Amino acid sequence: MKTTSPRAVAPSRTAPPRHFLDLAEIDAGTLRRMINLAAHYREGAAPEALRHPLAGRTLAMIFEKPSTRTRVSFQVGMQQLGGEVVVLSHQDTQLGRGETIADAARVLSRYVDILMIRTFDPATLHELADHASVPVINGLTDETHPCQVMADIATFEQHLGPIEGKVVTWTGDGNNVAQSWIEAAPKFGFEMRLACPEGLEPNAEIVAAARKAGGSIVLGSDPEALVDGADCVVTDTWLSMHDTDTDRSNLLMPYQVNRRLMSRAKPTALFMHCLPAHRNEEVTDEVMDGPQSVVWDEAENRLHAQKAIMVWCMGKIS
């Protein structure tokens, strides 16, 4: 009797993938479960079934922008979950030589189980997600940085308990991190204040959408007034990667986080910065290294929060 060799069949991926693109697109209960799982990972208390749930799975990371924290935290996180990692810079792929994002998404989906991209244009992220049959994670775009803010919320709750009902003040450029904080406000029930100079305000559509979703978003240009009584003060660099507008330094100097500004917040208030910091520009050394600063815990929580995000994306938690 003649026999035939078995033919390998690609695994079925009929269910739509769980993408992690922006906080506004994910319901509050799901985000809360991720934050709670991140705390379990930080404390070494994750359930047995969630300690190495991604064994045999592979994460591909695509970088159009340089990275330290994003690359290391995702790579170590995936390895701790039992999986493997492939790292691709823009120069390593055909994306830099004319291949479409859609085609790359289709090809990579045949090789790996999850994709993370750190890119400039949010349209690149969304096109990748539209054509991938595996989950896609937003590792940063010029518009938002949701992984960072999930880590920030995990850090807040590590030190001060539930963020619901609290006040967070952003001072400086209303950039991608600020905009993810805005999207988080209605999801976690805190008041988000933003002190930004004219011309560097956050995207008006993101603000309007957050307010429509029930978020308390306060905008203004006076950092002292908006920091008054805050539970947390957050800032970021004045010049992001590839920015050349050096005039921003003069415009943003009144928004520097220094001892005088922090003194207007609550005595228990935290200081956060997503790093890397330009010391003595957007934040002084005495605040960065002071007792209210939690920037190193914040950096560590990128690891724990992103582990929880990947576990959710792969359907291991609801």
Side-chain angles (χ1 to χ4, degrees):
M1 179 178 178
K2 184 177 180 180
T3 61
T4 58
S5 300
R7 182 165 59 91
V9 178
S12 174
R13 287 173 173 153
T14 54
R18 284 181 170 182
H19 299 312
F20 186 85
L21 305 182
D22 284 308
L23 300 182
E25 299 177 5
I26 303 174
D27 68 86
T30 298
L31 293 173
R32 168 50 60 192
R33 287 189 288 276
M34 292 185 217
I35 291 291
N36 292 345
L37 180 57
H40 287 313
Y41 281 131
R42 184 182 64 244
E43 296 160 6
E48 181 66 35
L50 295 178
R51 292 181 186 175
H52 308 289
L54 302 188
R57 303 302 185 105
T58 301
L59 163 71
M61 300 192 292
I62 304 169
F63 290 96
E64 290 186 353
K65 287 190 173 188
S67 171
T68 300
R69 279 151 292 279
T70 297
R71 174 170 177 166
V72 176
S73 58
F74 265 109
Q75 182 160 351
V76 172
M78 186 62 171
Q79 290 169 339
Q80 289 182 356
L81 293 172
E84 299 181 354
V85 180
V86 176
V87 181
L88 301 168
S89 72
H90 198 58
Q91 292 75 27
D92 294 331
T93 70
Q94 294 299 324
L95 290 172
R97 300 174 178 84
E99 183 174 30
T100 68
I101 299 296
D103 287 350
R106 295 182 182 105
V107 169
L108 290 171
S109 294
R110 300 298 183 102
Y111 297 148
V112 303
D113 302 284
I114 188 167
L115 294 165
M116 188 284 297
I117 186 167
R118 182 177 173 91
T119 186
F120 295 91
D121 189 347
T124 300
L125 167 74
H126 290 283
E127 187 175 359
L128 187 72
D130 286 345
H131 294 91
S133 57
V134 300
V136 173
I137 295 174
N138 176 1
L140 175 145
T141 70
D142 286 349
E143 186 170 85
T144 57
H145 197 355
C147 290
Q148 179 64 56
V149 171
M150 289 291 280
D152 293 352
I153 290 170
T155 306
F156 184 101
E157 297 195 339
Q158 177 184 357
H159 288 270
L160 295 181
I163 197 169
E164 184 176 4
K166 300 299 197 301
V167 174
V168 176
T169 297
W170 177 277
T171 176
D173 179 12
N175 66 7
N176 52 358
V177 181
Q179 291 177 168
S180 282
W181 269 107
I182 291 167
E183 291 188 339
K187 303 294 183 177
F188 291 94
F190 59 87
E191 179 177 304
M192 187 69 212
R193 303 175 183 171
L194 298 105
C196 306
E198 184 178 355
L200 294 179
E201 302 95 337
N203 183 296
E205 292 182 2
I206 291 176
V207 173
R211 285 173 170 165
K212 185 177 180 180
S216 176
I217 312 297
V218 180
L219 302 180
S221 58
D222 183 347
E224 294 194 2
L226 293 176
V227 166
D228 193 36
D231 297 283
C232 183
V233 179
V234 194
T235 194
D236 198 358
T237 56
W238 293 341
L239 287 175
S240 297
M241 284 181 290
H242 308 292
D243 282 340
T244 57
D245 183 8
T246 55
D247 289 340
R248 282 188 177 192
S249 295
N250 293 328
L251 183 64
L252 286 161
M253 184 55 72
Y255 297 82
Q256 181 189 70
V257 182
N258 49 40
R259 183 171 58 185
R260 181 181 54 80
L261 187 64
M262 282 299 299
S263 71
R264 298 187 68 93
K266 289 181 180 177
T268 55
L270 306 175
F271 169 73
M272 292 191 193
H273 189 305
C274 67
L275 305 179
H278 294 174
R279 287 170 173 265
N280 298 309
E281 290 186 10
E282 72 271 8
V283 57
T284 60
D285 282 338
E286 62 184 346
V287 172
M288 183 84 168
D289 299 323
Q292 292 173 283
S293 174
V294 292
V295 297
W296 314 121
D297 288 340
E298 187 181 0
E300 178 188 337
N301 277 314
R302 285 291 300 276
L303 171 66
H304 308 305
Q306 288 162 188
K307 286 168 69 174
I309 290 166
M310 289 188 284
V311 167
W312 174 79
C313 284
M314 296 304 297
K316 301 299 183 180
I317 61 170
S318 61

